[in-house]
Amino acid sequence: QVQLVESGGGLVQAGGSLRLSCAASGRTFSNLGMAWFRQAPGKEREFVASIGWTARNTNYANSVKGRFSISRDNAKNTVFLQMNSLKPEDTAVYSCVARENYWGPDKRLYPSWGQGTQVTVSS
C-alpha cells in the first residue's frame, strides 16, 4: 500500500494560484502512476489530472486544461499540481492517488488515496 500526504491547499481569490504537493511512500515511486481528484460539496468525486511514471504522459480534465499543470519529482517521491487562474468552481477537497502501472481517469482503479487538502476559491 502507498501512503500519500497532500499539502498546499488554502483560501485564494479568483484568478489566483496555488500549488499542491503530494508526498508518497511505501512503494517505488517511479513505478507509480499518480493523479489528482477533487470533490466539491454535494458533488461526485471527479478526475482532475494524471501523470505517468516517466512524466512524459499527462492527462487533464477539460475543465482544468490550460490552467492546471501536473508534474512529478521522482527523486523526492512527490507529485505536484500547479493551479493557475483559479475559479470559484474549483473549490473542493483535492486528493492525491496512486497506482502501479496505471495513470488514467478511473477513480475506481486507484487503491491508494491521500486524506485530501481543501482548496477554496473566493469570488
Side-chain angles (χ1 to χ4, degrees):
Q1 193 76 350
V2 181
Q3 290 76 49
L4 302 167
V5 179
E6 302 98 334
S7 60
L11 173 64
V12 64
Q13 287 188 332
S17 297
L18 282 175
R19 189 192 196 203
L20 305 183
S21 299
C22 173
S25 61
R27 284 286 190 271
T28 302
F29 185 73
S30 58
N31 291 340
L32 298 174
M34 305 292 294
W36 290 92
F37 286 78
R38 67 185 182 186
Q39 187 167 24
K43 294 188 177 182
E44 287 193 5
R45 186 172 281 166
E46 65 174 359
F47 170 78
V48 176
S50 63
I51 187 166
W53 38 94
T54 64
R56 286 197 295 267
N57 299 311
T58 58
N59 190 22
Y60 296 92
N62 287 334
S63 58
V64 306
K65 206 171 286 186
R67 300 189 297 122
F68 290 12
S69 177
I70 189 170
S71 61
R72 65 190 295 159
D73 185 338
N74 285 352
K76 296 182 178 179
N77 291 356
T78 303
V79 64
F80 305 97
L81 185 67
Q82 178 66 44
M83 305 185 296
N84 299 326
S85 302
L86 282 161
K87 304 175 181 180
E89 51 263 45
D90 294 318
T91 295
V93 174
Y94 284 71
S95 297
C96 172
V97 299
R99 180 188 168 108
E100 291 182 337
N101 302 319
Y102 179 75
W103 55 282
D106 190 343
K107 58 180 176 289
R108 299 170 299 178
L109 298 182
Y110 287 98
S112 301
W113 289 74
Q115 83 287 352
T117 186
Q118 177 70 47
V119 171
T120 303
V121 184
S122 63
S123 57

